[in-house]
Amino acid sequence: MPPRALTPSGIVLVDKPAGPSSFAIVAQLRSRTRARTGHAGTLDPFATGLLLLLSGAATRLASRFVGLDKRYVADVDLRARTTTGDPEGDVLERHDPPAAAELERLLAGLRGEVELRIPAASAVKVGGERAYRLHRRGVEVDMPLRRSRVDALELVSYADGVARLDLRVGSGTYVRSIADALGGHCATLRRLEIGPFHVDEADPERMIPPDEALARLG
């Protein structure tokens, strides 16, 4: 198979819907442009929001975009924990949600530099194999902790055991892990920002020139 084309080259911002995988979105762009195509971080199929895709020669710049901070809005169901930390997993336990004052205390303990357990359904390799593949086969793995940075974790609303959170986190932070640490799971997850890029700018038909995109990084 001949190598993929290096043109068109640029950055494409996509507002991913719930359902398809991030790789399916990458494949859609690749099919349209016939160019080499990559990404600067995926979203789980149930999640929505901003994907930053790289086309053509711009794929060589992936390392400049992968480590950017991110902002999310999540609805966390505090009445149940699941095996995956999201609605696609099996329910591990059901319980009464915390009172508002207790929830505020829990949130305070998750701000700043924190140790969070990596979800079992993640792409992290355990013994040379992706954790999510082991999880799908029913293999129980003691997932490691990861040092994560939570710059902002604000409670937007809380009703009927579901907390809407607005989060700003460092790269590599799993919002599902934050939900699990609170005793719940992510019912919804939407990514609003990746570094200086906002989901409101998303337009799959527009390709931002590499120099323009790099200039926005400062």
Side-chain angles (χ1 to χ4, degrees), residues 112-202:
E113 296 282 342
V114 293
E115 295 277 351
L116 296 171
R117 192 165 301 281
I118 298 173
S122 68
V124 172
K125 286 189 175 181
V126 178
E129 189 169 359
R130 300 291 184 186
Y132 66 82
R133 290 177 179 160
L134 295 170
H135 175 76
R136 288 173 183 168
R137 297 205 305 272
V139 178
E140 292 190 14
V141 178
D142 185 16
M143 295 301 293
L145 296 171
R146 172 182 286 179
R147 193 75 174 170
S148 303
R149 195 183 81 245
V150 181
D151 295 324
L153 179 55
E154 304 303 326
L155 180 62
V156 178
S157 63
Y158 187 37
D160 300 323
V162 178
R164 172 157 290 189
L165 304 177
D166 190 329
L167 313 93
R168 291 183 181 273
V169 299
S171 179
T173 300
Y174 288 96
V175 179
R176 286 180 293 148
S177 296
I178 294 174
D180 187 73
L182 291 169
H185 68 277
C186 280
T188 69
L189 179 64
R190 181 163 177 77
R191 186 154 66 197
L192 301 180
E193 298 175 18
I194 300 175
F197 304 97
H198 196 283
V199 70
D200 287 347
E201 303 175 77

Side-chain angles (χ1 to χ4, degrees), residues 11-16 25 29 32 49-53 198-208:
I11 312 299
V12 180
L13 306 182
V14 176
D15 186 353
K16 176 192 167 304
I25 305 298
L29 178 62
R32 192 170 81 240
L50 186 59
L51 285 177
L52 196 156
L53 307 185
H198 196 283
V199 70
D200 287 347
E201 303 175 77
D203 180 354
E205 301 299 324
R206 180 192 177 212
M207 194 164 290
I208 303 172

Side-chain angles (χ1 to χ4, degrees), residues 15-96:
D15 186 353
K16 176 192 167 304
S21 70
S22 297
F23 301 105
I25 305 298
V26 170
Q28 288 174 9
L29 178 62
R30 183 187 298 122
S31 176
R32 192 170 81 240
T33 64
R34 304 297 180 185
R36 179 185 301 171
T37 312
H39 63 80
T42 62
L43 284 169
D44 294 313
F46 85 98
T48 70
L50 186 59
L51 285 177
L52 196 156
L53 307 185
L54 303 100
S55 176
T59 55
R60 298 168 179 167
L61 303 173
S63 62
R64 299 289 301 276
F65 298 95
V66 167
L68 297 175
D69 294 349
K70 299 173 177 66
R71 180 186 173 200
Y72 298 89
V73 169
D75 288 322
V76 178
D77 189 336
L78 296 170
R79 300 166 297 185
R81 293 175 61 246
T82 70
T83 54
T84 57
D86 61 43
E88 298 180 346
D90 297 326
V91 174
L92 287 171
E93 61 181 43
R94 297 187 187 276
H95 46 249
D96 292 333

